Amino acid sequence: MKLRQFRIRRHSFLAAALLFAVPSVVFTTPQEVQSRAPVTLQDQRDLAIQQQVEAIVAQGRGRIGVAAMDLDGGGQILVNGDMPFPMASTAKIAVAATYLSQVEQGRLRLDQQWPMMVPVAGSKGPVASVRAGQVLTAQGLMELSITRSNNEATDGLIAAVGGVQAVNNWLTKTGIVGQRLDHTMATLVRDDGKVDPVRTIDTRTASTPRAMLALLSAIDRGNALSPESRAVLLDTMTRTSTGRNRIRAGLPEGTLVAHKTGTLSGVTDDVGIVRLPDGRHLAMVVFVTGPEGHTAHAGLIAQVARTLYEGYSQPLGRANQELVRR
């Protein structure tokens, strides 16, 4: 059955703009937050949350990276924050953002039509061969790429923006250090399993938790994209249908979360922005590698998400002092 065309849903974007609306502020990098002094109750809260997250991470048998930041109230934690991890499909956030940035420049349009790029069987070159498939609007490709993690739609967007280097150029321009895209999705899937993600740190199509946190922060704060583009991307991310047993499983029912999953052999990722009960935004990144399998990895991600949500939902006051004493 052919995929249906997706129309731009103006009411959804308006809803997303309201749900995620925040004042325009200067982006504070994790390094700047980390360097603040003197030690405060906020720092103690971060330390308490970090210790709880580290205890969860210790359950895994592979490399695990975690990053989180309260984008409104300040505070962050990092576990293996500067270690590169396979991005898998979480790279699709940067791909979508790159396309939206070119829409802002007037070079592309969301209603412009592009073909999905279908892998050619038996391809053996450094870049997997693809052929043009079904034609959709850019909005339709983005919907499939983010909400269903469709690789052919993603490769259609990569081709439309000018290739993987265009994505890297946008990341550099946005100030994201420690994240890069080196593969089309067709190539990434074809070559999956050739590198053990536990024993080998591969910097290709990889991101540090700190870098992914910076990307989420830049998008949410409004620095990386216009308010209209930001609403399009975050609205799409709220409809992600993959990985329901990851970040979403660790959050109370009904919690608003804009996220993107990633899955490869021995790799289970989930990254996103969560709305806390008082309206603050919490960015979280969890990269998991190991031999346990995706179900076990998902359980770890859910535990981390629950710890982060509960910890950062606490106001900086008497209730938080109880958290610090745990």
Side-chain angles (χ1 to χ4, degrees), residues 26-192:
V26 176
F27 174 57
T28 303
T29 66
Q31 295 94 322
E32 291 168 339
V33 173
Q34 197 170 39
S35 65
R36 288 174 182 166
V39 174
T40 64
L41 184 58
Q42 175 179 292
D43 299 321
Q44 295 175 21
R45 176 182 68 175
D46 292 343
L47 178 60
I49 295 172
Q50 173 133 350
Q51 289 173 342
Q52 294 176 54
V53 170
E54 287 175 341
I56 297 170
V57 167
Q59 301 173 29
R61 294 162 54 194
R63 295 188 302 118
I64 301 175
V66 179
M69 180 185 289
D70 179 346
L71 299 175
D72 294 291
Q76 70 156 10
I77 66 127
L78 292 165
V79 178
N80 294 322
D82 295 309
M83 181 181 292
F85 288 85
M87 278 196 293
S89 287
T90 65
K92 294 169 182 176
I93 297 175
V95 173
T98 301
Y99 191 97
L100 289 168
S101 72
Q102 293 192 18
V103 171
E104 294 171 11
Q105 296 165 18
R107 299 170 58 185
L108 299 173
R109 302 189 318 273
L110 278 173
D111 62 356
Q112 198 167 348
Q113 294 193 329
W114 302 96
M116 300 173 72
M117 304 308 293
V118 181
V120 175
S123 173
K124 297 182 179 179
V127 178
S129 297
V130 293
R131 61 173 177 81
Q134 184 178 352
V135 175
L136 296 173
T137 64
Q139 180 63 43
L141 293 176
M142 196 175 301
E143 182 81 13
L144 288 173
S145 173
I146 298 294
T147 69
R148 304 185 195 177
S149 207
N150 185 285
N151 294 324
E152 296 174 5
T154 306
D155 281 342
L157 292 174
I158 290 175
V161 299
V164 296
Q165 190 54 47
V167 179
N168 292 327
N169 291 342
W170 180 83
L171 287 168
T172 299
K173 181 180 179 181
T174 307
I176 308 302
V177 178
Q179 180 175 145
R180 62 174 292 110
L181 179 66
D182 295 277
H183 304 85
T184 62
M185 293 300 110
T187 305
L188 193 65
V189 171
R190 184 199 63 181
D191 296 343
D192 185 22

Side-chain angles (χ1 to χ4, degrees), residues 89-90 92 144-150 237-251 255 257-264 267-272 274 284 286 294-303 305-306:
S89 287
T90 65
K92 294 169 182 176
L144 288 173
S145 173
I146 298 294
T147 69
R148 304 185 195 177
S149 207
N150 185 285
M237 290 171 63
T238 63
R239 297 195 300 279
T240 293
S241 62
T242 57
R244 294 184 181 276
N245 58 348
R246 301 182 193 181
I247 285 178
R248 284 189 181 276
L251 305 176
T255 300
V257 54
H259 71 122
K260 182 71 197 77
T261 59
T263 308
L264 288 171
V267 175
T268 313
D269 301 334
D270 204 357
V271 309
V274 176
M284 59 176 70
V286 191
H294 298 306
T295 300
H297 289 175
L300 288 175
I301 292 174
Q303 288 183 60
R306 183 178 305 111

